[in-house]
């Protein structure tokens, strides 16, 4: 599904390398987790994959189902099936959450040559998904992420994922700022989407999310690279002993 | 006091090209007095502080110039509303295309007919609110209109108007140069809504005076002409009695030059006045100026000014807004916000927000900002599959919606929004 080879990324504005030869392959239908200390480049990886400005790829490649995505516009990557649940979801004053989601849904349909959905049909779809995540009608009416609590923002990310049905889902610290109940809701939302045709890359600092979203593969990231790969046990090891033994010297 | 020579010449040249319409005693007196006032003040020039950012030359010129006619430009807004439609073609009431001047709760007369009488209620409104509004700042184009407006309506709401009056400004020729006048009196407890749209003219000078008696309510929603070369100078003068309401909203998309002045005065306590504007400008030939002056001369009145401008490709937007709180106008609540969204670095927004307060127990705030599209927000939208231009448009609509929300009737607001979306979609080319 996702093939990243020798990815080198620096900041556009300054001479600072952040990703330094990152290799990662996520197979179709699998859930991979990336763990790593703060500042190791996890969010940068997720932003570079989704096409945010401000980074320069100096070497390497990233392919989604065999297609190079690094040259695509962010919206083209989304249409190709990539989705990033942001570590810090953005507030957008004045743009209604519902309008936003329907516009996004229809834009993706259009990009794929499929018919747009009617307002009524969409309402039905979103109501069903929102109920599962305990997102009330009021949150749908409000401007995107405006006045949402930390937990509500994260649930809203998962709602978007559930509605847009991407193939490759990247979750960047979706667990941060969530209490246990909210984490369970989010994890249930993700688990419901797990299927043979969909892959996940779950970025987290802590092991606890992985109790709920059990990964197939766990990677440790440090200083811009994957430094160790293993099974779910690797996460438990990190939980017990910390990152120290895996870290590279910067 | 003698005028500077250039001003004198410009004023003489303009007046020489105009003929004062004939009428009965009251209107002739009013017109002649206006002409004398104009001779004293002269037409505006670039040196006038109030015209520092907007060049009045093309509004002063004896010749109006032209604005090409466009297919479909006369398509009416407000089609879904039950309304009384009155069409002005090239600035003159077009009776063949208009409904009868009959509306329950309202008396409507042409300016020509009201002016023919020797005495008429309109003499207390026509030219009177305008004259009061000349101080402390002169508004010569409104005086010009008082003296020379050839056509218009005098409207008196005596009860709750059965439906809105829709004034459609049509035109038949590219060189139309019009001066239209509305004198409106909303009697105590009465309610009236006036809607305006249409291409109007190559050059339009429009003045509306609205005298709202105690507990009366007046609403105004206007969409200005979309011909790129057209020019317009408009004035709204409102006088508010006790517990009365006045709300005016204007949407401007296109036009080479627009200056909309609103001059509001509270004379009775506990009244509310809201003036709002949304403007969309594309290209260096677009210049839009909102100039507002609110005078609080009574207690516990609320005024709101909400102006939003979206400017791109070198367009220019101006806002001059003032709240004057007179001595004794305690518990005044004055609010003013003017914001622009600059979609590129070539566009310009200039703002002069002013407060002048002579009462000690008031709440007044003003703010003016100018900014670009939030790139973080735009990336978020794009990351969900929304193409860049559509993402920009969504955020643009969100920006301007705050001004549109000032319209009390939400179905009218939706029509303004639809026109805005249409303007954006056309520029996206879909
Ligand atoms: N736009 C930026 N400007 C400056 N430094 C940045 C920027 N983006 C990332 N960094 C730096 O890059 C490193 C990796 O950051 P990040 O990808 O957020 O790590 P993580 O998500 O693993 O905590 C950090 O040292 C961070 O300070
Ligand atoms: Mg991070």
């Amino acid at each position: 599904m996702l093939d990243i080879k020798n990815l080198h990324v620096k900041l556009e504005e300054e001479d600072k390398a952040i990703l330094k030869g990152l290799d990662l392959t996520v197979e179709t239908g699998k859930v991979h987790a990336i763990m790593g200390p703060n500042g190791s480049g996890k969010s940068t990886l997720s932003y570079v994959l989704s096409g945010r400005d401000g980074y320069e790829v100096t070497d390497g490649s990233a392919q989604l189902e065999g297609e190079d995505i690094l040259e695509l516009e962010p919206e083209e990557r989304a249409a190709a099936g990539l989705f990033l649940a942001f570590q810090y979801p953005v507030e957008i004053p004045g743009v209604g959450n519902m309008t936003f989601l329907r516009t996004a849904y229809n834009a993706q349909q259009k990009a794929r040559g499929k018919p747009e959905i009617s307002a009524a049909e969409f309402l039905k779809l979103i109501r069903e998904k929102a109920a599962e995540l305990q997102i009330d009608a009021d949150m749908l009416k409000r401007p995107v992420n405006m006045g949402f609590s930390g937990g509500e923002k994260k649930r809203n990310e998962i709602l978007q994922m559930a509605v847009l049905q991407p193939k490759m889902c990247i979750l960047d610290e979706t667990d941060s700022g969530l209490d246990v109940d909210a984490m369970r809701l989010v994890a249930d939302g993700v688990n419901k989407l797990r299927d043979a045709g969909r892959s996940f890359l779950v970025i987290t600092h802590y092991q606890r999310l992985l109790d709920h979203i059990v990964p197939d593969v766990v990677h440790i990231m440090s200083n811009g690279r994957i430094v160790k790969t293993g099974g779910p046990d690797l996460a438990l090891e990190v939980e017990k002993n910390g990152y120290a033994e895996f870290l590279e010297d910067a | 006091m003698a005028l500077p020579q250039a001003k004198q010449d410009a004023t003489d040249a303009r007046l020489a090209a105009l003929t004062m319409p004939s009428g009965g005693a009251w209107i002739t007196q009013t017109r002649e007095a206006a002409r004398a006032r104009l001779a004293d003040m002269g037409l505006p020039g670039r040196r006038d502080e109030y015209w520092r950012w907007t060049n009045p030359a093309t509004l002063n010129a004896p010749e109006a110039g032209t604005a090409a006619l466009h297919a479909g430009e006369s398509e009416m807004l407000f089609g879904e509303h039950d309304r009384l439609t009155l069409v002005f073609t090239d600035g003159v009431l077009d009776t063949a295309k208009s409904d009868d001047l009959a509306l329950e709760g309202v008396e409507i007369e042409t300016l020509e007919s009201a002016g023919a009488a020797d005495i008429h209620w309109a003499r207390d409104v026509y030219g009177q609110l305008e004259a009061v509004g000349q101080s402390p700042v002169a508004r010569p184009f409104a005086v010009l209109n008082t003296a020379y407006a050839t056509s218009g309506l005098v409207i008196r709401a005596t009860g709750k108007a059965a439906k809105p009056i829709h004034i459609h400004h049509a035109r038949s020729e590219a060189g139309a140069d019009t001066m239209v006048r509305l004198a409106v009196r909303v009697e105590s407890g009465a309610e009236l809504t006036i809607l305006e749209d249409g291409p109007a003219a190559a050059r339009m000078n429009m003045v509306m005076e609205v005298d709202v008696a105690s507990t009366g309510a007046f609403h105004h929603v206007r969409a200005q002409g979309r011909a790129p070369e057209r020019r317009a100078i408009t004035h709204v003068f409102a006088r508010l009695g006790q517990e009365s309401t006045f709300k005016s909203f204007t949407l401007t998309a296109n036009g080479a030059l627009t200056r909309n002045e609103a001059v509001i005065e509270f004379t009775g306590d506990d009244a509310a006045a809201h003036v709002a504007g949304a403007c969309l400008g594309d290209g260096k030939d677009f210049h839009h100026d909102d100039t507002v002056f609110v005078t609080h001369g009574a207690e516990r009145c609320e005024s709101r000014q909400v102006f939003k401008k979206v400017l791109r490709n070198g367009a220019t937007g101006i806002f001059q807004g003032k709240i004057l709180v007179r001595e004794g106008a305690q518990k005044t609540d004055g609010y003013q916000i003017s914001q622009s969204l600059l979609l590129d670095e070539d566009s310009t927004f200039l703002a002069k927000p002013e407060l002048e307060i002579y009462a000690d127990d008031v709440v007044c705030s003003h703010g003016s900002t100018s900014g670009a599209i939030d790139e973080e927000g735009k990336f978020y939208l794009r990351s969900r599959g929304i193409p860049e231009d559509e993402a920009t448009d969504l955020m643009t609509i969100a920006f301007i919606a705050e001004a549109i929300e000032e319209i009390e009737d939400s179905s009218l607001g939706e029509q303004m929004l639809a026109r805005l979306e249409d303007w954006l979609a056309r520029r996206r080319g879909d």
Side-chain angles (χ1 to χ4, degrees), chain B residues 83-143:
Chain B
R83 70 213 198 275
L84 185 86
T85 303
L86 304 174
V87 177
F88 280 74
T89 301
D90 302 328
V92 178
L93 183 67
D94 195 334
T95 44
K97 289 185 179 148
S98 300
D99 293 333
D100 292 340
L101 300 181
L103 180 61
E104 202 187 314
V106 189
E107 296 165 11
I108 312 170
E109 222 178 315
T110 61
L111 178 64
E112 296 85 326
S113 130
D118 277 333
I119 190 132
H120 197 277
W121 67 262
R123 70 174 296 166
D124 295 332
V125 177
Y126 185 100
Q128 302 307 310
L129 273 60
E130 173 266 293
V132 171
Q134 296 298 328
S135 166
V137 197
R139 305 172 196 283
F141 290 113
V143 188

Side-chain angles (χ1 to χ4, degrees), chain A residues 66-80:
Chain A
E67 184 187 10
D68 278 316
I69 56 167
L70 295 178
E71 292 301 316
L72 299 181
E73 297 296 335
E75 56 270 29
E76 293 171 329
R77 302 182 197 202

Side-chain angles (χ1 to χ4, degrees), chain A residues 50-52 73-75 78 83-84 86 90 92-95 100 103-104 107-108 144-145 157 160, chain B residues 374-390 394-395 397-399 401 430:
Chain A
S50 51
R52 190 184 195 229
E73 297 296 335
E75 56 270 29
F83 181 93
L84 167 64
F86 283 56
V90 183
I92 308 181
V95 177
F100 157 58
T103 307
Q108 293 201 10
V144 179
N145 293 321
E157 294 293 291
Q160 293 168 39
Chain B
D374 173 31
E375 290 297 329
E376 287 285 312
K378 191 166 84 178
F379 171 65
Y380 189 74
L381 297 178
R382 294 179 72 190
S383 78
R384 298 314 186 226
I386 301 174
E388 181 170 18
D389 49 4
E390 244 180 282
L394 264 182
M395 294 174 80
I397 290 167
F399 167 79
D430 60 43

